[in-house]
Amino acid sequence: MSETAAQERESFLQRGFALPDMRGNRKMVNAAVVDSIGSGLILAFILVYFARTTDLSLPAIGGALTLARFLAVPTAMVVGPLIDRWGARVVALLGNVISAVGYAGFLLADDLWQIVVVAFLTQMGGATYWTSSSGLVVLASTPERRPRWFALLHMLRNSGLGIGGALGALLIGFDGTTGLRLLVVSNAASYLVAALLLALWRPPIAAVQAATRQKQEQARKEQQEEKAEEAVKSKAKGGYGTVLRDKRYMLLVGININFVFAALVLSLLIAVFVTEGLGQAAWIGGVLLVLNSVQVAATQTLVNRRLERYRPIRVIAAGSLINALAFGIFAALGLAPAWAAVVGLFVAMVLYNFAETAATPFSEDLSVSLAPEHLRGRYLAVYQLSWTFGQTVAPLLLTLLLDRGAAWPWVFLMTLGLLAVPALLLLERMVEAANGPEPRLCVCQQP
């Protein structure tokens, strides 16, 4: 195939499937795919691994993993200044290397303290990568194309985790602990490959320059040159206090906790709700998880294309409302007959999946666009804390609510979704007051 034909084919795929222009960024995309497949391999089997390869009890192992997670909580705050100094690509690469070392250490961990150390390294590596991951999109794309990039990476993330999980389920079928050790080795290797791809990736200079020009033009139109120059001059003095005083961004961080809790439904709540809350067969929960992966992978970029013409914050608010509707259906299923409960599970899951595909790319883009360039690392670190908070609190909170009744976790999640809507409308007004009306992201002119 000639170069011209290849470019025409790529252009056709971009128009038909709402894909971003990946020229110059394929190594970054491949790194994300490899990272996701590797993560999927071991994600559901960490507790199983240590239970089968050590003589420790499950409560002891669980306590060690919890302690490691708490010790890793400050990672994002440490990583933020590193991103501002070294750039997102270098820090993301470093996060992958740390994760590789941590998972390789699983092979040597026999005692509780060793489990704490290697699990801490994996948590630290993951937090380092995810704090800087949004910055990778900034390097790959101009601002108006970022939602497409976030949509693509979210789709690839879901697909990779699903593929990795399926491969992991096959590998643990090996006799003894051989399969589990293969999972660990494969996962560690995947992080090294992802790190190598990021090391070889050279973000398109033209895209970076175009993004810089657009920011400069916007600054001139808004007559904020003096403030921008002053911010650059005070770069060394700028810190987390600046982020904490930014009312718009702190409101966004608070709003994102709603979406963090919603995202954790898949790993924490669905399976136990189906089996314990509704008394349904366990395979139904598995099918619901597969449905999520398939629906997101098949529709993410297309949904994003349809929504680009609307204001991003309005799209996020709509996603939150749809989530609330889905959670309301889940909450009501305990009162329905068994057959109706099964139907309701699939209806609610389809709605939940649609809300995920609609809101996620625009929410991630908003976390980047509201952060000033010279302190973007620190801003993204604070944003990452909303994920850290949710991942730390949700397991205990949701299980306590479920213990009180099958509907209670869903009522809580529905309430969060509804409360997020007026908060998002307030954020929209704050953004417009500072920058003028929020632009729609129509890309109808893209070839």
Side-chain angles (χ1 to χ4, degrees):
M1 182 182 293
S2 67
E3 183 178 350
T4 302
Q7 291 177 352
E8 290 178 353
R9 180 175 180 273
E10 185 174 72
S11 179
F12 170 77
L13 291 174
Q14 289 169 17
R15 291 194 302 269
F17 295 94
L19 298 176
D21 186 350
M22 287 183 279
R23 286 173 293 182
N25 293 311
R26 289 186 179 87
K27 289 185 176 66
M28 187 267 280
V29 173
N30 291 335
V33 172
V34 171
D35 181 289
S36 298
I37 293 176
S39 299
L41 284 171
I42 195 66
L43 187 64
F45 306 111
I46 292 177
L47 192 61
V48 175
Y49 174 85
F50 288 117
R52 291 188 183 179
T53 59
T54 69
D55 296 326
L56 301 170
S57 66
L58 281 176
I61 296 169
L65 295 176
T66 300
L67 176 59
R69 176 166 289 186
F70 273 108
L71 291 174
V73 165
T75 299
M77 304 301 288
V78 175
V79 167
L82 299 181
I83 297 173
D84 291 329
R85 183 170 184 175
W86 295 338
R89 184 180 67 90
V90 173
V91 177
L93 185 160
L94 176 64
N96 279 329
V97 172
I98 294 172
S99 294
V101 172
Y103 281 110
F106 277 29
L107 300 172
L108 305 176
D110 293 319
D111 296 329
L112 278 178
W113 72 269
Q114 294 172 334
I115 293 177
V116 172
V117 170
V118 296
F120 167 72
L121 288 175
T122 61
Q123 290 292 322
M124 184 171 65
T128 299
Y129 175 81
W130 286 110
T131 303
S132 54
S133 62
S134 296
L136 299 179
V137 175
V138 175
L139 296 176
S141 173
T142 54
E144 66 271 13
R145 300 292 184 263
R146 285 176 194 162
R148 286 195 173 192
W149 271 102
F150 284 118
L152 173 66
L153 293 176
H154 182 245
M155 180 266 288
L156 293 175
R157 172 73 176 168
N158 272 50
S159 302
L161 289 174
I163 294 170
L167 293 174
L170 291 175
L171 285 176
I172 63 170
F174 281 75
D175 292 336
T177 61
T178 303
L180 287 167
R181 295 185 188 279
L182 282 174
L183 290 183
V184 168
V185 171
S186 300
N187 190 31
S190 74
Y191 280 110
L192 290 178
V193 172
L196 177 61
L197 288 169
L198 286 177
L200 296 174
W201 174 49
R202 294 296 178 265
I205 297 176
V208 176
Q209 291 176 338
T212 303
R213 285 196 301 270
Q214 180 166 337
K215 288 173 183 174
Q216 291 172 343
E217 290 171 2
Q218 181 179 354
R220 284 195 295 269
K221 291 177 182 178
E222 297 169 352
Q223 297 180 345
Q224 294 180 340
E225 286 185 356
E226 293 182 2
K227 292 182 180 180
E229 291 174 2
E230 184 177 334
V232 173
K233 290 178 182 178
S234 62
K235 178 177 180 180
K237 299 180 181 179
Y240 285 111
T242 303
V243 187
L244 297 177
R245 289 190 295 271
D246 190 332
K247 296 179 181 178
R248 296 183 308 168
Y249 205 81
M250 294 310 298
L251 178 58
L252 174 64
V253 171
I255 291 169
N256 192 56
I257 293 175
N258 158 58
F259 291 102
V260 173
F261 272 91
L264 294 174
V265 161
L266 294 173
S267 59
L268 296 177
L269 200 54
I270 284 293
V272 69
F273 172 70
V274 169
T275 55
E276 302 298 325
L278 298 180
Q280 298 288 341
W283 65 265
I284 295 177
V287 172
L288 292 174
L289 295 177
V290 172
L291 173 62
N292 172 264
S293 295
V294 172
Q295 184 177 339
V296 171
T299 66
Q300 176 68 81
T301 57
L302 297 177
V303 169
N304 186 78
R305 179 186 180 186
R306 295 292 184 183
L307 296 177
E308 283 177 334
R309 70 191 69 180
Y310 301 106
R311 293 182 178 183
I313 293 180
R314 298 290 176 91
V315 173
I316 300 170
S320 191
L321 278 176
I322 296 170
N323 257 342
L325 175 60
F327 297 147
I329 294 174
F330 278 125
L333 294 182
L335 303 176
W339 67 268
V342 173
V343 174
L345 282 170
F346 284 92
V347 171
M349 182 55 69
V350 169
L351 290 171
Y352 169 85
N353 296 342
F354 179 74
E356 179 183 348
T357 57
T360 299
F362 295 98
S363 181
E364 293 299 310
D365 180 59
L366 197 61
S367 72
V368 171
S369 61
L370 290 184
E373 184 176 0
H374 70 289
L375 288 175
R376 182 170 286 140
R378 290 172 173 83
Y379 271 74
L380 293 179
V382 173
Y383 186 78
Q384 180 65 25
L385 283 181
S386 63
W387 284 94
T388 303
F389 172 81
Q391 291 168 342
T392 303
V393 172
L396 176 61
L397 178 58
L398 294 180
T399 51
L400 285 175
L401 290 171
L402 186 63
D403 188 59
R404 293 192 60 185
W408 281 105
W410 304 112
V411 171
F412 168 74
L413 292 169
M414 180 179 67
T415 303
L416 281 184
L418 293 175
L419 290 175
V421 175
L424 282 162
L425 296 179
L426 172 60
L427 177 62
E428 183 180 55
R429 290 196 295 271
M430 294 171 70
V431 171
E432 290 182 354
N435 303 330
E438 184 189 18
R440 293 170 172 80
L441 295 176
C442 182
V443 292
C444 305
Q445 300 301 320
Q446 182 180 7

